[in-house]
Amino acid sequence: MSKYPHQPPQKEHHVPILLDEILNELDIQENDTILDGTIGLGGHSQAMHQQLGKTGHLVGYDQDPNAIAFCQSRFSSYPNVTLINDNVSHVHPSTSKHTPKKFSKILLDLGYSSYQLDHQNIGLSFLQDGPLDMRLNRNTEQNSASDILQSYSEQDLSDLFFNFGELYQNKRLVNAIINERQKTPITQTNQLISLIKKSYFFHQNRRKMLKVFAQVFQALRIATNDELGHLERFLAQLSDITEEKAVVVIISFHSLEDRMIKQFGKRKEGPFKARYKKVITPTQNEIEQNSRATSAKLRILDKK
Ligand SMILES: C[S@@+](CC[C@H](N)C(=O)[O-])C[C@H]1O[C@@H](n2cnc3c(N)ncnc32)[C@H](O)[C@@H]1O
């Protein structure tokens, strides 16, 4: 049972990022078998599907049931689209009965849709008050962000902000969290925001303050949804789930994920190699049209 009531999105609250670059790099053929591992509201999938023929197939995964509900309606008239509400790290045929055969093209657009950030009210964004939940799939036994703040030891909280938020000075914040939770559970984003404000001297420097907010929220999102663990497990399956000459494109939004993908593309062992040394980033024009694209980084992996 969901802890909070949510409505699936009613319209496309998300602009697909780096779309032209992705279509260009994937070079979709009529009979491709495509995996969109993070289908979201289906913007990229819609464009990829347009290039598929009747013999092609697109499989879309999303761990958020609302995203899948939206895509079920968006793709209802396409018989060659299969939608699965699960984490894409479970795509391997040994754990998924849905995966049709090997994939020739794969897209991961990691992170969160604008709908999830702005409208889902699960505490993903520090820009609005809401329950400090952050779980993309609330039908799991997984800890919410609030549970993490309530239960982690002092050292674990410090490691979380250090490793996942790259927030190296976090002692005062960790102490503030521990003091607060002894009085009352930290269940709202605004509670966390005021603890951050009490723990740092921003000297009216708004940029600095927003940066720390972003680091704290990023750390909690990564931990709550085990983002790095899922990506690592997904990459470990890539060889098994892909055809020869498969192409994998991945957009990431923080340096921890990007580092993992970059290292994967550099490995001597295994059939995958990075197509380019350099990362592809959105043009200034795209960033002006869609500020969510600002931190996007695209890497392409080719299978031998
Ligand atoms: C940035 S959005 C994707 C937007 C999509 N490309 C579009 O054009 O609408 C990322 C989506 O991936 C989902 N997601 C993130 N990590 C996931 C994972 N490991 N497995 C399944 N879904 C994931 C999120 O729930 C979210 O809906």
Side-chain angles (χ1 to χ4, degrees):
M1 253 279 281
S2 301
K3 215 166 173 180
Y4 303 103
H6 297 292
Q7 285 296 316
Q10 304 302 313
K11 59 184 174 117
E12 296 148 44
H13 283 287
H14 186 84
V15 181
I17 289 174
L18 287 161
L19 181 59
D20 291 344
E21 291 82 350
I22 284 172
L23 293 176
N24 198 22
E25 300 294 340
L26 281 177
D27 187 23
I28 291 167
Q29 307 298 308
E30 290 204 330
N31 61 349
D32 267 330
T33 306
I34 303 176
L35 170 65
D36 184 342
T38 54
I39 195 166
L41 304 193
H44 287 107
S45 268
Q46 178 87 56
M48 293 191 292
H49 185 268
Q50 272 165 9
Q51 303 190 343
L52 273 184
K54 285 196 178 122
T55 51
H57 191 177
L58 186 144
V59 178
Y61 269 73
D62 205 294
Q63 57 184 328
D64 182 345
N66 285 333
I68 292 296
F70 181 81
C71 285
Q72 268 158 353
S73 139
R74 182 168 190 173
F75 295 102
S76 60
S77 56
Y78 303 130
N80 58 350
V81 173
T82 306
L83 296 167
I84 298 162
N85 179 207
D86 199 352
N87 198 295
V88 73
S89 66
H90 302 146
V91 67
H92 196 277
S94 63
T95 45
S96 166
K97 52 183 184 299
H98 310 286
T99 304
K101 51 177 182 169
K102 297 199 174 195
F103 297 101
S104 51
K105 304 284 160 68
I106 295 186
L107 165 67
L108 286 194
D109 175 14
L110 297 166
Y112 304 88
S113 67
S114 300
Y115 174 76
Q116 289 166 325
L117 289 163
D118 300 337
H119 300 278
Q120 204 140 279
N121 201 25
I122 50 170
L124 289 170
S125 163
F126 56 80
L127 295 174
Q128 49 178 298
D129 191 25
L132 203 46
D133 187 318
M134 295 196 178
R135 288 169 301 168
L136 290 183
N137 182 355
R138 288 160 301 284
N139 299 324
T140 63
E141 294 303 304
Q142 206 179 307
N143 279 334
S144 67
S146 173
D147 296 332
I148 288 176
L149 292 179
Q150 203 58 32
S151 62
Y152 272 30
S153 68
E154 183 178 342
Q155 186 60 49
D156 288 347
L157 282 173
S158 177
D159 290 347
L160 178 147
F161 294 127
F162 189 99
N163 293 325
F164 296 161
E166 300 180 281
L167 184 61
Y168 304 124
Q169 286 173 7
N170 57 51
K171 196 170 170 41
R172 282 168 63 97
L173 175 62
V174 170
N175 286 340
I177 290 169
I178 287 176
N179 285 337
E180 177 77 3
R181 77 186 188 189
Q182 283 162 357
K183 291 180 249 155
T184 176
I186 304 161
T187 56
Q188 292 291 121
T189 49
N190 273 355
Q191 261 177 293
L192 181 58
I193 293 287
S194 51
L195 292 174
I196 302 171
K197 283 184 179 164
K198 272 192 225 159
S199 308
Y200 293 89
F201 299 107
F202 294 120
H203 302 295
Q204 313 226 334
N205 183 336
R206 194 174 147 75
R207 268 174 75 111
K208 199 170 155 193
M209 183 177 78
L210 293 179
K211 184 169 180 224
V212 176
F213 289 173
Q215 286 171 296
V216 170
F217 275 66
Q218 172 180 300
L220 280 169
R221 285 195 305 249
I222 292 177
T224 304
N225 292 298
D226 187 19
E227 289 181 22
L228 299 175
H230 285 300
L231 179 59
E232 190 178 13
R233 289 188 285 281
F234 177 77
L235 291 174
Q237 300 167 40
L238 261 188
S239 236
D240 286 355
I241 63 164
T242 42
E243 293 176 1
E244 275 179 24
K245 309 274 180 211
V247 183
V248 180
V249 302
I250 308 184
I251 312 178
S252 63
F253 292 87
H254 55 75
S255 55
L256 301 168
E257 281 171 342
D258 182 55
R259 215 171 290 154
M260 204 182 263
I261 301 154
K262 186 176 171 185
Q263 293 307 330
F264 185 82
K266 275 188 177 172
R267 291 184 333 166
K268 295 258 180 298
E269 73 280 16
F272 284 95
K273 287 285 157 286
R275 183 173 292 180
Y276 309 115
K277 264 194 183 153
K278 279 199 161 173
V279 80
I280 299 174
T281 52
T283 60
Q284 198 49 40
N285 187 33
E286 178 168 3
I287 292 171
E288 276 160 25
Q289 309 279 326
N290 177 13
S291 62
R292 287 262 147 82
T294 309
S295 51
K297 288 185 175 147
L298 174 65
R299 292 194 187 268
I300 326 291
L301 301 166
D302 287 302
K303 191 174 182 183
K304 273 189 225 151

